[in-house]
Amino acid sequence: MISFIQGLVMSRSLRISPQYIERVKRAVKHNGFFRQRDLAEELQLALSTVSSFLNGRRVDYATFYEICERLGLELKEIADLEDERSDRTFSAEALELATVDCSGEETGTAVSEYMERPPIESRCNETILQPGSLLRIKAPKRMGKTWLIDRILAQATKQKYRTVNLSLLLADGSVLSSLDKFLRWFCGVVGRELRLRDQLTDYWVDELGSSQSCTIYFEEYLLSQLEHPLVLALDDVDRIFPYSAIAGNFLAMLRAWYEKGKRSKLWKKLRLVVAHSTEVYIELNIHQSPFNVGESIELPEFNREQVQDLAQRQGLDWQGAQVDQLMSLVGGHPYLVQRAIYHLTRSEITLKELLQKACTEAGIYANHLRGHLGNLQEHPELAMAMKIVVESTHPVQLESMLAFQLQSLGLVQLEGNEVKARYHLYSNYLHDRLGN
């Protein structure tokens, strides 16, 4: 199965979907690369390759992934997959697991199947079957929220439900400049995903306000057009938390929709899935918050048994000692565990060597760690906060917003009102670099 997925990855190329080219070019400048040549030199790629990528021409998967990772972009969100969807053998999971190792060579992780964390999956599937339901999923980045959402929507499709999967990371600065623009964008994207014509001008009533107009659009147009229930999955909802006016009104509207689903036959069609990476740090009236109703799911890391099962499924004859050694470094973080198992199954490195080099520029996590360091260096206040964390031998208290932002990045974990570095991998790597 491993070689099968490697074959898929190595035999194909990707390009940016045309509607996201400008967004990607903005991300280049946002990440401090004022010229394409600067990005090419950073990644040790040919300038022509970077130019092809940024102008919507095809490049190989490894290159596509590497550039996305450096720019902080999600491959699955910006890639043009329309011509891939007809190929049933090319799964979204295989795409998500395509990675690049620290030498820039193309690889894939060892895991080709979703690792279930019972009873989470069954709880999610049961929830969306309930009329007017609301499912809340919380977990740091790269913990598997997107995979879980994909699984939920796949089950919904089997029930002949309509589905929309929308990451709020797609809302750029212009969209987030006002509540009205954001809600118009939101309605437009959902309608487009449902293959319905844009009728905003017919239903938007400025005098009623943006939230009410959005509600009318869903009630009188979108939901009314559907014969079957709609599962609307909103991923990366914490994207809007810093925009308190937008977040407060949008989240209150979602709560109002949930309440409508208790009594309205039409609104019972709507099943909401709300996923976010951090605790909710904006102030919401308890009666207007969607975060204290519905079904709550906190996606955990892999436990010791799951890590061992994962390793053994991929041909590693691991006992408890090897599992403990890996988990002492990266916990049960799905991405970090899978990446280690992949390299070990290729027999290109021993577990002892992997552990020795893991926190260095020669380790298998070098790109991942450099990405985190780059994010911190771009935000000095976060870098200073993380420096305090990694230099302390015990949990520390930070300003709430900084703590939540570091948690969203997956770098720290909360212990009451205090935080500590999430893994030894992060604390060891960042201790030296932030100290300088």
Side-chain angles (χ1 to χ4, degrees):
M1 189 65 175
I2 299 170
S3 59
F4 170 68
I5 289 185
Q6 274 190 282
L8 284 173
V9 173
M10 295 179 68
S11 65
R12 295 177 181 272
S13 58
L14 275 178
R15 66 174 183 174
I16 301 171
S17 189
Q19 66 265 36
Y20 298 128
I21 289 176
E22 290 306 313
R23 177 190 168 200
V24 173
K25 288 182 177 179
R26 288 195 299 270
V28 174
K29 293 184 179 179
H30 176 74
N31 280 274
F33 301 106
F34 298 103
R35 301 177 303 166
Q36 294 182 14
R37 184 179 300 279
D38 296 331
L39 178 59
E41 291 175 354
E42 167 79 7
L43 297 175
Q44 297 184 345
L45 296 172
L47 177 59
S48 59
T49 300
V50 172
S51 178
S52 292
F53 170 88
L54 293 174
N55 288 285
R57 294 189 291 274
R58 289 187 172 275
V59 297
D60 63 74
Y61 273 107
T63 299
F64 198 99
Y65 181 90
E66 187 172 14
I67 298 175
C68 285
E69 187 171 52
R70 183 60 188 87
L71 298 179
L73 300 168
E74 289 291 332
L75 184 151
K76 283 175 46 174
E77 291 176 1
I78 66 169
D80 184 359
L81 302 179
E82 289 300 322
D83 57 345
E84 308 288 0
R85 289 174 181 168
S86 61
D87 186 348
R88 295 176 179 269
T89 66
F90 184 76
S91 69
E93 293 165 11
L95 174 62
E96 182 164 342
L97 286 172
T99 64
V100 181
D101 69 13
C102 59
S103 67
E105 294 174 355
E106 185 174 62
T107 66
T109 68
V111 184
S112 59
E113 68 268 23
Y114 174 74
M115 169 63 74
E116 291 193 352
R117 282 164 269 188
I120 285 175
E121 291 76 16
S122 59
R123 284 175 58 194
C124 291
N125 293 334
E126 290 167 5
T127 298
I128 63 167
L129 293 177
Q130 304 303 313
S133 57
L134 170 62
L135 176 65
R136 296 179 283 116
I137 303 171
K138 180 170 78 72
K141 295 183 185 300
R142 284 193 157 177
M143 281 288 291
K145 294 191 299 299
T146 300
W147 257 12
L148 179 59
I149 289 172
D150 287 345
R151 288 275 165 165
I152 293 168
L153 297 185
Q155 290 298 316
T157 301
K158 290 180 180 179
Q159 300 293 326
K160 296 185 178 181
Y161 291 1
R162 301 295 301 275
T163 64
V164 172
N165 190 357
L166 173 59
S167 167
L168 296 193
L169 289 176
L170 296 175
D172 60 25
S174 62
V175 167
L176 293 169
S177 62
S178 73
L179 177 65
D180 189 73
K181 287 184 178 180
F182 174 75
L183 291 181
R184 285 176 181 269
W185 169 84
F186 172 65
C187 289
V189 173
V190 174
R192 193 175 303 114
E193 289 293 314
L194 293 172
R195 302 292 188 267
L196 296 174
R197 293 178 58 189
D198 187 331
Q199 299 286 345
L200 282 171
T201 55
D202 294 336
Y203 290 90
W204 213 264
V205 183
D206 292 335
E207 291 78 8
L208 295 179
S210 303
S211 296
Q212 186 62 26
S213 293
C214 181
T215 300
I216 290 171
Y217 193 70
F218 265 75
E219 184 171 72
E220 297 184 7
Y221 181 53
L222 297 182
L223 293 177
S224 296
Q225 300 292 317
L226 304 180
E227 295 182 9
H228 301 286
L230 166 64
V231 180
L232 174 57
L234 303 176
D235 200 359
D236 303 297
V237 170
D238 41 305
R239 169 74 170 96
I240 64 172
F241 288 175
Y243 303 85
S244 56
I246 292 175
N249 284 280
F250 181 66
L251 296 172
M253 184 184 72
L254 296 183
R255 170 64 182 266
W257 290 1
Y258 170 75
E259 298 297 338
K260 283 175 174 287
K262 294 180 180 179
R263 57 184 184 273
S264 165
K265 182 178 180 180
L266 182 66
W267 283 96
K268 288 182 186 295
K269 289 184 181 180
L270 181 65
R271 289 91 196 270
L272 289 168
V273 180
V274 176
H276 55 107
S277 299
T278 69
E279 299 288 349
V280 183
Y281 55 75
I282 59 174
E283 292 186 7
L284 292 170
N285 182 305
I286 189 172
H287 300 297
Q288 295 181 322
S289 171
F291 297 109
N292 55 9
V293 292
E295 183 74 11
S296 176
I297 298 290
E298 189 155 355
L299 201 56
E301 298 182 352
F302 293 156
N303 59 34
R304 190 171 183 271
E305 292 71 24
Q306 287 169 328
V307 173
Q308 184 167 357
D309 178 48
L310 200 60
Q312 291 178 343
R313 276 199 243 167
Q314 305 306 319
L316 295 176
D317 185 21
W318 274 16
Q319 303 305 316
Q322 291 96 331
V323 174
D324 291 340
Q325 289 178 63
L326 180 61
M327 294 188 73
S328 70
L329 179 72
V330 299
H333 190 288
Y335 168 76
L336 300 176
V337 167
Q338 291 167 354
R339 190 162 180 78
I341 290 175
Y342 170 74
H343 286 278
L344 292 168
T345 56
R346 293 181 71 190
S347 301
E348 60 184 27
I349 191 172
T350 66
L351 178 59
K352 181 179 179 180
E353 292 170 334
L354 186 152
L355 297 174
Q356 288 175 340
K357 297 179 181 179
C359 303
T360 74
E361 300 298 335
I364 67 169
Y365 299 118
N367 278 349
H368 176 74
L369 293 170
R370 282 196 295 266
H372 277 305
L373 180 61
N375 283 334
L376 293 174
Q377 289 173 334
E378 290 170 12
H379 301 89
E381 70 285 0
L382 286 183
M384 182 57 69
M386 194 64 197
K387 183 176 186 292
I388 293 171
V389 172
V390 299
E391 290 184 346
S392 176
T393 58
H394 53 80
V396 299
Q397 190 163 4
L398 299 175
E399 192 274 320
S400 295
M401 183 66 72
L402 295 175
F404 287 134
Q405 289 174 328
L406 290 174
Q407 184 202 27
S408 175
L409 291 172
L411 291 173
V412 303
Q413 61 186 53
L414 301 180
E415 291 191 351
N417 293 324
E418 299 178 322
V419 302
K420 68 176 183 179
R422 194 167 171 207
Y423 307 120
H424 288 306
L425 176 70
Y426 295 156
S427 59
N428 293 347
Y429 178 84
L430 294 173
H431 183 275
D432 295 337
R433 287 150 184 84
L434 294 179
N436 295 325

